[in-house]
Amino acid sequence: MAVTFVLDFSDGQRLETSGNGVIGRNPAVHTPGTEMEDPAHVELVTIQDDVKSVSRAHLAFGQYDGVFWVMDLGSANGTTITYPGEGTFACDPKTRHEVDPGSVVRFGSASFALTRR
């Protein structure tokens, strides 16, 4: 059963999701390496970034067994996760990383905070 997660973005966007998605300046469903199970239900989150610190398709997200994950898609500026009370960790490209509720995911000059609804 899918869990609903809330992503509160630094630009004021808010996304409630129980599925998969791609975040970037110009995200696309068929981004190589995203391995989306159901491309028809992929959420695309566009981040406005005039300085281009966010890649066109910067990171993918989704969940597996109620655990939220992100995957850097080989972006130029990388992705980090700040876990509550545990510090900040850089994400390896093309690898799924678990994100705990209360964590902040930074990508380029943008970020989102994750909560579970």
Side-chain angles (χ1 to χ4, degrees):
M1 180 172 147
V3 175
T4 299
F5 290 94
V6 179
L7 287 63
D8 284 306
F9 290 89
S10 53
D11 66 0
Q13 292 185 73
R14 180 182 184 104
L15 173 67
E16 292 189 20
T17 182
S18 57
N20 298 314
V22 178
I23 300 169
R25 287 190 342 267
N26 187 17
V29 172
H30 299 292
T31 301
T34 56
E35 301 160 9
M36 298 294 176
E37 292 82 26
D38 185 0
H41 293 95
V42 173
E43 303 195 54
L44 302 178
V45 181
T46 301
I47 302 295
Q48 299 300 318
D49 181 20
D50 294 337
V51 297
K52 298 185 178 174
S53 67
V54 176
S55 296
R56 280 175 281 160
H58 198 107
L59 70 150
F61 66 85
Q63 63 174 289
Y64 181 77
D65 285 344
V67 176
F68 191 85
W69 57 263
V70 296
M71 178 173 51
D72 186 279
L73 297 173
S75 67
N77 290 316
T79 302
T80 63
I81 304 170
T82 302
Y83 296 95
E86 295 183 36
T88 301
F89 300 89
C91 294
D92 295 322
K94 308 286 187 183
T95 304
R96 289 183 180 185
H97 296 270
E98 287 185 17
V99 182
D100 300 329
S103 298
V104 175
V105 176
R106 287 185 176 74
F107 50 101
S109 62
S111 65
F112 69 82
L114 180 73
T115 54
R116 185 175 170 157
R117 192 178 80 175

